[in-house]
Amino acid sequence: MGQGQRSLQLHFQPLEEPQRARRSVGPQGRGVEPVSSALTTHVLDTASGSPARSLCLRLHRLEDHGQQCTELGNSYPDPDGRCPGLLPPGHTKAGTYKLFFDTEGSWRKRGQESFYPYAEVVFTITNETHEVHVPLLLSPWSYTTYHGR
């Protein structure tokens, strides 16, 4: 090493599995006990690097190639941005589902405009016994999703 240069040593610790949220939080911050679920989502604000807590989402089941839509429920992310309990045990059926995220309402609550008024993620559950995780990463100008594990 040259004169005036310092050595930087990094030590990495293995990450532990994140703890599942103990409580869900409604729109006014009131606690709601979570329900075990085969379907979960995690909503993160990539612009601020924090969970998107004030975002309302709705779960729908699509029938007849999307011509019929049945709302199964709605939720708000907990303080960690997670939404456990979207489909209670025994209610998961193979088929097509849609998660509707009210992005405009969430950004408006923070005094910010959004290019996308909402995000819809349509996906298929093929095996009723598998857990499905559908995260949403968003900013006021973009969003992305993937099939999480």
Side-chain angles (χ1 to χ4, degrees):
M1 244 184 245
Q3 190 174 15
Q5 293 181 333
R6 293 187 204 175
S7 170
L8 174 65
Q9 292 183 346
L10 300 175
H11 299 278
F12 294 95
Q13 299 278 334
L15 293 175
E16 293 179 22
E17 182 68 25
Q19 294 292 318
R20 293 287 179 194
R22 304 247 188 271
R23 295 165 46 109
S24 294
V25 176
Q28 279 74 39
R30 292 189 291 264
V32 179
E33 292 303 315
V35 177
S36 176
S37 178
L39 173 63
T40 58
T41 187
H42 192 187
V43 188
L44 298 172
D45 172 356
T46 59
S48 70
S50 62
R53 294 180 207 119
S54 63
L55 183 119
C56 179
L57 63 96
R58 292 190 296 272
L59 175 65
H60 299 87
R61 180 171 167 79
L62 304 178
E63 303 283 346
D64 195 23
H65 300 287
Q67 298 301 311
Q68 292 188 8
C69 181
T70 303
E71 184 170 326
L72 302 177
N74 60 47
S75 185
Y76 285 83
D78 67 14
D80 293 327
R82 297 181 186 278
C83 283
L86 293 174
L87 274 177
H91 288 81
T92 304
K93 295 192 298 188
T96 304
Y97 293 83
K98 174 175 71 173
L99 279 170
F100 173 93
F101 298 88
D102 180 15
T103 56
E104 183 177 54
S106 177
W107 293 117
R108 191 176 324 136
K109 288 176 189 174
R110 298 191 233 173
Q112 193 159 356
E113 289 185 20
S114 173
F115 182 70
Y116 296 101
Y118 59 88
E120 290 184 328
V121 180
V122 179
F123 56 96
T124 303
I125 294 178
T126 56
N127 188 326
E128 298 166 4
T129 63
H130 289 172
E131 292 183 2
V132 178
H133 185 60
V134 184
L136 181 72
L137 309 175
L138 72 140
S139 80
W141 316 280
S142 68
Y143 68 89
T144 188
T145 187
Y146 57 95
H147 181 203
R149 300 275 178 204

